[in-house]
Amino acid sequence: MSESGVAAARALSHLTAEMLPKLSADDWAADSACHGWRVHDVVSHMGFFFNFIADPHLVLPENPSGMSERLNDAAVRERAEWSSTKVIDYYQEQSTAGLAALEALQSEEMRDVPVEMLDLGTYRMAQLSDAVAFDHLVHLTADLLAPYGPLADEDSLGDAFDTANAIDPAIDWMIAGLPQMCGGGIYSVLERPVGLELRGSTERRFVIDLDPDDKSVTVTETDDLPDDVATSDARAFLRWGTTRSAWRSVVDISGERGHLAAVLDAVDIV
Protein backbone atom coordinates (compact mmCIF):
# COMPACT_ATOMS: atom_id res chain seq x y z
CA MET A 1 0.00 0.00 0.00
CA SER A 2 1.04 3.62 -0.38
CA GLU A 3 -0.71 5.51 2.37
CA SER A 4 2.36 7.74 2.52
CA GLY A 5 1.78 8.56 -1.13
CA VAL A 6 -1.81 9.58 -0.41
CA ALA A 7 -0.65 11.79 2.47
CA ALA A 8 2.03 13.39 0.29
CA ALA A 9 -0.39 13.97 -2.58
CA ARG A 10 -2.89 15.55 -0.20
CA ALA A 11 -0.30 17.87 1.37
CA LEU A 12 1.12 18.98 -1.99
CA SER A 13 -2.29 19.54 -3.53
CA HIS A 14 -3.35 21.61 -0.51
CA LEU A 15 -0.23 23.71 -0.90
CA THR A 16 -0.92 24.16 -4.62
CA ALA A 17 -4.55 25.14 -4.03
CA GLU A 18 -3.44 27.72 -1.45
CA MET A 19 -0.83 29.16 -3.81
CA LEU A 20 -2.87 29.50 -7.00
CA PRO A 21 -5.20 32.40 -6.03
CA LYS A 22 -2.15 34.47 -5.06
CA LEU A 23 -0.63 34.35 -8.56
CA SER A 24 -0.72 37.46 -10.71
CA ALA A 25 -1.63 37.60 -14.39
CA ASP A 26 2.08 37.83 -15.19
CA ASP A 27 2.74 34.73 -13.07
CA TRP A 28 0.15 32.70 -14.97
CA ALA A 29 1.61 33.75 -18.33
CA ALA A 30 5.25 33.16 -17.35
CA ASP A 31 7.23 30.34 -18.93
CA SER A 32 7.83 27.51 -16.49
CA ALA A 33 10.98 25.39 -16.44
CA CYS A 34 8.95 22.58 -18.02
CA HIS A 35 9.87 23.01 -21.69
CA GLY A 36 7.10 24.60 -23.75
CA TRP A 37 4.67 25.01 -20.84
CA ARG A 38 3.62 28.20 -19.09
CA VAL A 39 2.68 28.25 -15.41
CA HIS A 40 -0.93 28.09 -16.66
CA ASP A 41 -0.15 24.87 -18.55
CA VAL A 42 1.65 23.16 -15.68
CA VAL A 43 -1.26 23.82 -13.31
CA SER A 44 -3.87 22.63 -15.81
CA HIS A 45 -1.81 19.48 -16.32
CA MET A 46 -1.70 18.82 -12.58
CA GLY A 47 -5.48 19.13 -12.52
CA PHE A 48 -5.77 16.87 -15.56
CA PHE A 49 -3.77 14.12 -13.84
CA PHE A 50 -6.24 14.17 -10.95
CA ASN A 51 -9.10 14.20 -13.49
CA PHE A 52 -7.62 11.12 -15.20
CA ILE A 53 -7.52 9.26 -11.89
CA ALA A 54 -10.93 10.36 -10.61
CA ASP A 55 -13.01 9.85 -13.77
CA PRO A 56 -12.70 6.47 -15.53
CA HIS A 57 -15.05 7.78 -18.24
CA LEU A 58 -12.94 10.85 -19.04
CA VAL A 59 -12.71 11.35 -22.79
CA LEU A 60 -9.00 11.72 -23.54
CA PRO A 61 -7.55 13.80 -26.38
CA GLU A 62 -6.52 12.00 -29.53
CA ASN A 63 -3.03 10.59 -29.05
CA PRO A 64 -1.88 8.51 -32.03
CA SER A 65 1.67 8.38 -30.64
CA GLY A 66 0.60 6.23 -27.67
CA MET A 67 3.03 8.22 -25.53
CA SER A 68 2.04 9.68 -22.19
CA GLU A 69 3.94 12.93 -22.68
CA ARG A 70 2.16 13.59 -25.98
CA LEU A 71 -1.17 12.89 -24.25
CA ASN A 72 -0.23 15.46 -21.60
CA ASP A 73 0.68 17.98 -24.30
CA ALA A 74 -2.68 17.43 -26.02
CA ALA A 75 -4.58 17.88 -22.74
CA VAL A 76 -2.67 21.11 -22.07
CA ARG A 77 -3.57 22.42 -25.53
CA GLU A 78 -7.25 21.73 -24.87
CA ARG A 79 -7.09 23.93 -21.76
CA ALA A 80 -4.65 26.55 -23.05
CA GLU A 81 -7.25 29.30 -23.52
CA TRP A 82 -8.99 28.83 -20.19
CA SER A 83 -8.94 31.77 -17.81
CA SER A 84 -6.82 31.45 -14.69
CA THR A 85 -10.04 31.40 -12.65
CA LYS A 86 -11.28 28.41 -14.63
CA VAL A 87 -7.94 26.62 -14.17
CA ILE A 88 -8.09 27.22 -10.40
CA ASP A 89 -11.66 25.90 -10.21
CA TYR A 90 -10.71 22.89 -12.34
CA TYR A 91 -7.70 22.11 -10.18
CA GLN A 92 -9.65 22.41 -6.93
CA GLU A 93 -12.52 20.25 -8.18
CA GLN A 94 -10.33 17.56 -9.66
CA SER A 95 -7.85 17.44 -6.79
CA THR A 96 -10.73 16.89 -4.35
CA ALA A 97 -12.15 14.10 -6.49
CA GLY A 98 -8.71 12.68 -7.26
CA LEU A 99 -7.63 12.50 -3.63
CA ALA A 100 -10.84 10.64 -2.74
CA ALA A 101 -10.11 8.20 -5.55
CA LEU A 102 -6.51 7.69 -4.42
CA GLU A 103 -7.75 6.90 -0.92
CA ALA A 104 -10.23 4.36 -2.30
CA LEU A 105 -7.53 2.73 -4.43
CA GLN A 106 -5.62 1.78 -1.27
CA SER A 107 -8.37 -0.69 -0.32
CA GLU A 108 -7.65 -4.40 -0.26
CA GLU A 109 -9.98 -4.93 -3.21
CA MET A 110 -8.35 -2.30 -5.43
CA ARG A 111 -4.74 -1.78 -4.42
CA ASP A 112 -3.21 -4.60 -6.50
CA VAL A 113 -5.39 -4.19 -9.59
CA PRO A 114 -3.08 -3.45 -12.55
CA VAL A 115 -3.39 -0.20 -14.47
CA GLU A 116 -1.69 0.32 -17.84
CA MET A 117 -0.23 3.80 -18.38
CA LEU A 118 0.69 3.83 -22.07
CA ASP A 119 4.47 3.84 -22.57
CA LEU A 120 5.13 4.34 -18.84
CA GLY A 121 4.31 0.70 -18.07
CA THR A 122 1.90 -1.18 -15.82
CA TYR A 123 1.49 -0.45 -12.12
CA ARG A 124 -0.70 -1.33 -9.17
CA MET A 125 -3.62 1.01 -8.52
CA ALA A 126 -2.18 1.84 -5.09
CA GLN A 127 0.92 3.26 -6.76
CA LEU A 128 -1.04 6.06 -8.42
CA SER A 129 -0.74 8.04 -5.19
CA ASP A 130 3.04 7.86 -5.52
CA ALA A 131 2.70 9.03 -9.12
CA VAL A 132 0.70 12.09 -8.04
CA ALA A 133 3.18 12.88 -5.25
CA PHE A 134 6.02 12.63 -7.79
CA ASP A 135 4.19 14.71 -10.40
CA HIS A 136 3.34 17.49 -7.96
CA LEU A 137 6.71 17.55 -6.22
CA VAL A 138 8.67 17.73 -9.47
CA HIS A 139 6.43 20.35 -11.07
CA LEU A 140 6.44 22.50 -7.95
CA THR A 141 10.13 22.33 -7.06
CA ALA A 142 11.68 21.96 -10.52
CA ASP A 143 9.29 23.81 -12.85
CA LEU A 144 7.27 26.44 -10.96
CA LEU A 145 9.16 27.66 -7.91
CA ALA A 146 12.50 29.46 -7.91
CA PRO A 147 15.37 28.94 -8.38
CA TYR A 148 14.38 26.90 -11.43
CA GLY A 149 10.88 28.25 -12.10
CA PRO A 150 9.48 31.80 -12.34
CA LEU A 151 7.49 31.89 -9.07
CA ALA A 152 8.54 32.72 -5.51
CA ASP A 153 11.01 30.30 -3.95
CA GLU A 154 10.14 27.61 -1.42
CA ASP A 155 11.35 29.63 1.56
CA SER A 156 8.84 32.39 0.86
CA LEU A 157 6.02 29.88 1.33
CA GLY A 158 7.07 29.35 4.93
CA ASP A 159 6.54 26.23 6.99
CA ALA A 160 3.58 25.22 4.82
CA PHE A 161 6.01 23.97 2.17
CA ASP A 162 7.53 20.83 3.62
CA THR A 163 8.73 18.20 1.16
CA ALA A 164 10.12 15.83 3.77
CA ASN A 165 7.06 13.56 3.66
CA ALA A 166 6.77 13.70 -0.13
CA ILE A 167 10.29 12.77 -1.18
CA ASP A 168 10.02 9.04 -0.44
CA PRO A 169 6.72 8.43 -2.29
CA ALA A 170 8.12 10.42 -5.23
CA ILE A 171 11.26 8.27 -5.28
CA ASP A 172 9.14 5.13 -4.92
CA TRP A 173 7.42 6.10 -8.19
CA MET A 174 10.74 6.83 -9.92
CA ILE A 175 12.21 3.50 -8.85
CA ALA A 176 9.06 1.59 -9.86
CA GLY A 177 9.11 3.34 -13.21
CA LEU A 178 12.81 3.13 -14.00
CA PRO A 179 12.84 -0.49 -15.29
CA GLN A 180 9.70 0.07 -17.38
CA MET A 181 10.43 3.56 -18.71
CA CYS A 182 14.19 3.23 -19.18
CA GLY A 183 14.73 -0.53 -19.24
CA GLY A 184 15.51 -0.83 -22.93
CA GLY A 185 18.25 1.76 -22.88
CA ILE A 186 19.76 0.54 -19.64
CA TYR A 187 19.65 -3.13 -20.65
CA SER A 188 21.78 -2.44 -23.70
CA VAL A 189 24.62 -0.84 -21.70
CA LEU A 190 24.48 -2.50 -18.26
CA GLU A 191 27.44 -4.88 -18.06
CA ARG A 192 27.18 -5.62 -14.32
CA PRO A 193 25.17 -4.32 -11.35
CA VAL A 194 25.40 -0.63 -10.46
CA GLY A 195 24.39 1.09 -7.25
CA LEU A 196 22.38 4.27 -6.73
CA GLU A 197 22.79 5.96 -3.36
CA LEU A 198 20.53 8.88 -2.44
CA ARG A 199 21.32 11.25 0.43
CA GLY A 200 19.95 14.41 2.01
CA SER A 201 16.17 14.61 2.33
CA THR A 202 16.12 10.82 2.56
CA GLU A 203 18.75 8.09 2.73
CA ARG A 204 18.15 5.21 0.31
CA ARG A 205 20.22 2.72 -1.67
CA PHE A 206 19.36 0.68 -4.76
CA VAL A 207 20.99 -1.83 -7.07
CA ILE A 208 20.20 -1.80 -10.78
CA ASP A 209 20.77 -5.21 -12.36
CA LEU A 210 19.69 -7.48 -15.22
CA ASP A 211 17.25 -10.36 -15.17
CA PRO A 212 18.65 -12.59 -17.92
CA ASP A 213 15.60 -14.87 -17.93
CA ASP A 214 13.24 -12.26 -19.36
CA LYS A 215 15.89 -9.80 -20.56
CA SER A 216 14.71 -7.00 -18.28
CA VAL A 217 16.17 -4.52 -15.81
CA THR A 218 15.52 -4.89 -12.09
CA VAL A 219 15.90 -2.38 -9.25
CA THR A 220 16.29 -3.65 -5.68
CA GLU A 221 16.50 -1.58 -2.51
CA THR A 222 19.44 -2.84 -0.44
CA ASP A 223 22.42 -1.60 1.57
CA ASP A 224 24.66 -4.13 -0.19
CA LEU A 225 25.97 -2.00 -3.06
CA PRO A 226 28.32 -3.17 -5.85
CA ASP A 227 31.61 -1.55 -6.84
CA ASP A 228 30.10 0.89 -9.35
CA VAL A 229 27.99 3.42 -7.41
CA ALA A 230 26.37 6.75 -8.31
CA THR A 231 25.71 8.97 -5.27
CA SER A 232 23.29 11.89 -5.48
CA ASP A 233 21.32 14.26 -3.34
CA ALA A 234 17.74 12.93 -3.29
CA ARG A 235 16.21 16.25 -4.35
CA ALA A 236 18.70 16.51 -7.20
CA PHE A 237 17.60 13.06 -8.39
CA LEU A 238 14.13 14.50 -9.03
CA ARG A 239 15.69 16.82 -11.61
CA TRP A 240 18.39 14.77 -13.30
CA GLY A 241 16.32 11.59 -13.18
CA THR A 242 13.69 13.38 -15.28
CA THR A 243 16.36 14.93 -17.57
CA ARG A 244 15.62 18.46 -16.33
CA SER A 245 19.32 18.81 -15.52
CA ALA A 246 22.56 17.01 -16.28
CA TRP A 247 23.58 14.33 -13.81
CA ARG A 248 27.28 15.00 -14.35
CA SER A 249 27.23 18.20 -12.29
CA VAL A 250 25.56 16.69 -9.21
CA VAL A 251 26.38 12.96 -9.08
CA ASP A 252 29.48 11.51 -7.44
CA ILE A 253 30.90 8.44 -9.16
CA SER A 254 32.63 5.51 -7.45
CA GLY A 255 33.90 2.77 -9.71
CA GLU A 256 34.17 2.70 -13.49
CA ARG A 257 32.94 6.07 -14.71
CA GLY A 258 32.36 5.01 -18.31
CA HIS A 259 30.06 2.18 -17.30
CA LEU A 260 28.06 4.32 -14.87
CA ALA A 261 27.86 7.18 -17.35
CA ALA A 262 26.29 4.94 -19.98
CA VAL A 263 23.67 3.76 -17.47
CA LEU A 264 22.86 7.23 -16.11
CA ASP A 265 22.60 8.65 -19.63
CA ALA A 266 19.75 6.18 -20.24
CA VAL A 267 17.68 7.36 -17.25
CA ASP A 268 14.64 9.45 -18.23
CA ILE A 269 11.72 9.01 -15.83
CA VAL A 270 8.26 10.53 -16.37
Side-chain angles (χ1 to χ4, degrees):
M1 297 177 69
S2 187
E3 296 288 355
S4 60
V6 175
R10 182 178 294 109
L12 292 172
S13 64
H14 176 74
L15 170 70
T16 303
E18 290 286 313
M19 179 181 69
L20 297 184
K22 302 174 184 177
L23 300 182
S24 68
D26 287 343
D27 289 334
W28 283 99
D31 289 333
S32 77
C34 186
H35 181 70
W37 285 5
R38 303 161 298 166
V39 170
H40 178 290
D41 301 322
V42 174
V43 176
S44 74
H45 158 74
M46 293 161 73
F48 171 73
F49 195 13
F50 273 128
N51 197 173
F52 169 79
I53 292 169
D55 184 2
H57 303 296
L58 176 67
V59 177
L60 299 175
E62 290 188 9
N63 180 31
S65 73
M67 299 177 64
S68 63
E69 290 192 288
R70 300 294 77 77
L71 173 63
N72 290 332
D73 286 337
V76 160
R77 287 194 296 271
E78 285 187 342
R79 295 156 176 80
E81 301 304 319
W82 286 7
S83 69
S84 58
T85 299
K86 186 171 182 178
V87 173
I88 292 173
D89 290 343
Y90 177 69
Y91 179 84
Q92 291 177 334
E93 292 169 2
Q94 298 307 323
S95 61
T96 298
L99 288 168
L102 291 177
E103 188 71 43
L105 293 177
Q106 303 303 311
S107 69
E108 186 174 353
E109 295 78 13
M110 295 298 298
R111 64 192 183 197
D112 293 325
V113 174
V115 54
E116 295 182 4
M117 300 184 69
L118 300 178
D119 57 321
L120 303 187
T122 301
Y123 302 87
R124 296 179 298 108
M125 285 287 190
Q127 291 177 289
L128 289 177
S129 60
D130 294 337
V132 172
F134 161 79
D135 191 66
H136 269 59
L137 187 60
V138 170
H139 283 310
L140 286 168
T141 62
D143 297 332
L144 294 179
L145 299 172
Y148 308 110
L151 304 182
D153 62 22
E154 297 176 23
D155 291 340
S156 68
L157 299 176
D159 295 337
F161 193 86
D162 182 4
T163 63
N165 293 327
I167 189 72
D168 280 310
I171 288 173
D172 286 343
W173 175 257
M174 296 178 77
I175 294 302
L178 190 150
Q180 301 190 75
M181 302 179 201
C182 319
I186 292 176
Y187 190 90
S188 65
V189 297
L190 188 64
E191 300 173 358
R192 56 188 174 277
V194 302
L196 173 62
E197 183 170 4
L198 302 178
R199 298 176 177 175
S201 301
T202 188
E203 304 282 331
R204 300 180 67 175
R205 298 169 183 83
F206 304 92
V207 171
I208 304 170
D209 203 353
L210 299 179
D211 183 343
D213 293 336
D214 61 5
K215 296 184 178 180
S216 64
V217 171
T218 63
V219 184
T220 305
E221 188 157 11
T222 176
D223 288 334
D224 187 15
L225 298 182
D227 292 335
D228 293 349
V229 177
T231 301
S232 171
D233 175 79
R235 288 281 297 271
F237 180 48
L238 297 178
R239 297 192 70 246
W240 68 259
T242 59
T243 66
R244 283 168 166 79
S245 66
W247 64 262
R248 285 171 173 80
S249 61
V250 293
V251 174
D252 292 328
I253 296 298
S254 175
E256 186 179 331
R257 185 175 183 86
H259 181 226
L260 278 165
V263 173
L264 297 183
D265 283 342
V267 175
D268 184 7
I269 299 167
V270 178

